Amino acid sequence: MSSSDSDSEFQEKPKPSTSKAKGKKKDDGKPKRKRLQDYLDEKAAREVAERAEELLRKRRRRGLADDEEDPEETTFPVINPMNFVKNKEIRHKQFKRMQGAKRKEEKEAKKTRKLEGIPSAPNHTIESLREKDETTVVNMEGEDQAEVMNDLANDEFCEYYQKSYEPRVMITFNATPHMVTRKFASLLRRMIPNTKTFRRNKTQLKRVCKSAIRENYTDILVVNENRKKPEGLLLIHLPDGPTAHFKVSNFKDLKDLKRNERDITTHRPEVILNNFTTRLGLTIGRMLGALFHYEPEFRGRRAVTFHNQRDYIFFRHHLYEFDKNGKRVKLRELGPRFTLKLRSLQVGLFDGKCGDYEWMITNKRHQMESRRRFFL
């Protein structure tokens, strides 16, 4: 016997390779064993399908079509078979699978819509679903707006828009205003031309109005503060009113916007009143516009904007710059920035006890008032 033969007899057999990952399971071709929960899910889905078939057979016996409504039939809520899955993980996986299938269907529908050239459905917002107001003015120059034009020609601001006088505004606050309130009033004085600020101390507003009329002021701005911040703004038009009360919120100082007060020049700004569409909105817009001079100085390139959206009036102050060709315009915000919310509109001068209110905001928490109804 040779040595090579003896070595071959004692040679060990090769072991099976263990290069495969331990986590992988062997596929023996056997069907996966069902769990108890799978049987329960199948049973629930089968019961729902049988109930639907039974109702369909009853409708056909009565001679009703499949899509025809039956007034005598009691409708049951549609039960999702997924609700019968008790295991949270399995229910979550099925829900994710259903969401993925829904996304795929939406993508395919969008692709076919693009190929066929069908426009997509518009996205609805609260502004687009706004309830129509009877006092909305669509076209000011229309023939059916003769009554509106007559009212505007004879209201309290007609003399201003006829350029018969220049506005002169008084800004006042209490005896000990906080630094933020003083800054807010000083910025208003810087933006509104021909304006002066006064401390009224403890003087009543009725006496302030009489003295302002005697000194030939046309408007009074009363800044109210709460918790060391400007909280309210009372606008009184002299000498016969009206009086509007606004809530002030989201006040941003020049320091917050990283702007310099030197950029605000003394030129008279342009005034932009945007989206005041109802009769009440026109009154408020004309009231805010009457604070500024009717002849702006275009050399300063300043623009003051009152933008109304969902009854919130956003105030912005910009400086616009033209390029060398004079075709493109760049806007640079100067500040400040704040938001006004109309609380009430009072006829005549301010009277806290016996005043006649033309409009007052309602508490929507306690009244069934629609969120889609806007007044300005």
Side-chain angles (χ1 to χ4, degrees):
M1 186 185 295
S2 63
S3 62
S4 60
D5 295 338
S6 62
D7 294 340
S8 62
E9 288 179 1
F10 293 101
Q11 192 175 4
E12 293 182 358
K13 295 182 179 180
K15 295 182 180 179
S17 61
T18 58
S19 60
K20 293 184 179 180
K22 296 181 180 180
K24 292 185 179 181
K25 296 181 180 179
K26 296 180 181 180
D27 296 334
D28 300 333
K30 296 181 181 179
K32 190 177 180 180
R33 186 177 179 181
K34 289 187 178 181
R35 293 174 296 178
L36 178 62
Q37 189 63 44
D38 298 335
Y39 287 107
L40 294 176
D41 296 344
E42 291 179 1
K43 182 181 178 182
R46 202 182 311 117
E47 288 177 356
V48 172
E50 290 176 358
R51 195 181 303 119
E53 290 179 1
E54 183 67 24
L55 291 174
L56 191 61
R57 282 196 294 268
K58 287 182 181 180
R59 288 173 59 85
R60 289 174 179 172
R61 285 173 197 165
R62 277 183 257 157
L64 296 172
D66 294 346
D67 56 348
E68 187 179 354
E69 294 184 0
D70 187 8
E72 298 180 359
E73 183 181 0
T74 57
T75 57
F76 295 96
V78 179
I79 301 174
N80 191 356
M82 198 183 299
N83 296 340
F84 294 97
V85 180
K86 303 298 181 182
N87 193 320
K88 184 178 179 180
E89 293 182 2
I90 297 174
R91 187 169 64 246
H92 182 69
K93 288 180 181 178
Q94 291 183 1
F95 179 72
K96 287 292 182 183
R97 200 179 302 122
M98 186 179 67
Q99 275 189 331
K102 189 177 180 181
R103 287 195 207 97
K104 286 183 181 178
E105 291 178 0
E106 289 178 354
K107 284 184 179 179
E108 291 176 359
K110 187 177 181 180
K111 192 181 293 183
T112 54
R113 192 168 58 243
K114 278 187 177 181
L115 293 173
E116 295 175 0
I118 301 173
S120 59
N123 295 326
H124 292 295
T125 59
I126 297 179
E127 190 73 24
S128 64
L129 298 174
R130 173 178 180 171
E131 293 182 2
K132 292 185 179 180
D133 198 328
E134 297 177 355
T135 63
T136 302
V137 181
V138 181
N139 185 13
M140 291 288 294
E141 299 178 357
E143 297 179 356
D144 54 342
Q145 303 295 341
E147 182 182 354
V148 179
M149 296 299 294
N150 187 27
D151 291 345
L152 296 180
N154 298 312
D155 64 354
E156 296 87 350
F157 313 102
C158 60
E159 295 181 2
Y160 165 80
Y161 287 97
Q162 292 172 1
K163 302 181 181 180
S164 60
Y165 69 88
E166 294 183 2
R168 195 160 172 245
V169 184
M170 174 194 290
I171 300 177
T172 179
F173 35 77
N174 58 8
T176 57
H178 194 260
M179 182 182 63
V180 182
T181 306
R182 289 202 306 270
K183 191 67 177 176
F184 178 71
S186 66
L187 289 173
L188 289 178
R189 181 179 58 82
R190 191 73 183 264
M191 288 180 298
I192 303 173
N194 203 6
T195 306
K196 291 185 179 180
T197 56
F198 295 95
R199 292 188 183 183
R200 71 175 185 274
N201 296 331
K202 296 183 180 179
T203 310
Q204 295 181 355
L205 276 179
K206 291 183 178 180
R207 293 185 178 180
V208 174
C209 292
K210 290 180 181 178
S211 61
I213 294 171
R214 187 171 60 250
E215 296 294 331
N216 296 325
Y217 283 97
T218 59
D219 295 277
I220 298 177
L221 281 173
V222 183
V223 182
N224 300 325
E225 69 173 15
N226 185 20
R227 296 181 180 179
K228 300 180 181 181
K229 291 182 181 181
E231 185 262 345
L233 190 67
L234 196 66
L235 174 56
I236 307 172
H237 184 68
L238 303 176
D240 300 322
T243 302
H245 179 217
F246 299 95
K247 179 185 176 182
V248 181
S249 59
N250 300 330
F251 170 61
K252 298 292 183 182
D253 194 2
L254 300 184
K255 189 176 180 181
D256 301 331
L257 300 174
K258 297 181 181 179
R259 295 292 184 269
N260 195 347
E261 193 172 353
R262 298 174 185 174
D263 297 336
I264 304 176
T265 60
T266 57
H267 297 88
R268 294 193 293 266
E270 304 173 47
V271 182
I272 301 172
L273 303 172
N274 190 20
N275 205 21
F276 293 93
T277 55
T278 62
R279 296 285 291 273
L280 177 64
L282 288 175
T283 303
I284 297 301
R286 287 166 67 87
M287 196 172 186
L288 293 171
L291 293 172
F292 299 84
H293 202 280
Y294 43 77
E295 290 183 355
E297 294 177 350
F298 297 101
R299 188 177 180 181
R301 294 177 283 110
R302 289 172 53 208
V304 170
T305 306
F306 292 95
H307 174 71
N308 172 45
Q309 187 173 1
R310 301 179 188 175
D311 288 351
Y312 287 93
I313 304 171
F314 300 94
F315 176 86
R316 297 293 182 269
H317 183 207
H318 291 93
L319 176 72
Y320 58 90
E321 299 174 351
F322 295 95
D323 59 354
K324 295 180 180 179
N325 299 327
K327 294 181 179 180
R328 293 187 177 182
V329 181
K330 293 182 180 179
L331 286 177
R332 185 161 63 93
E333 187 174 1
L334 298 178
R337 181 192 298 179
F338 57 89
T339 306
L340 299 176
K341 174 75 171 178
L342 182 65
R343 311 295 295 178
S344 64
L345 181 65
Q346 187 176 349
V347 179
L349 299 179
F350 175 76
D351 192 351
K353 294 183 179 180
C354 305
D356 185 13
Y357 287 90
E358 182 179 344
W359 183 85
M360 182 181 291
I361 193 170
T362 56
N363 195 342
K364 296 185 180 181
R365 288 180 59 194
H366 303 289
Q367 292 194 8
M368 299 302 292
E369 192 169 288
S370 177
R371 291 175 63 246
R372 299 172 182 172
R373 186 182 179 189
F374 305 112
F375 300 96
L376 299 182

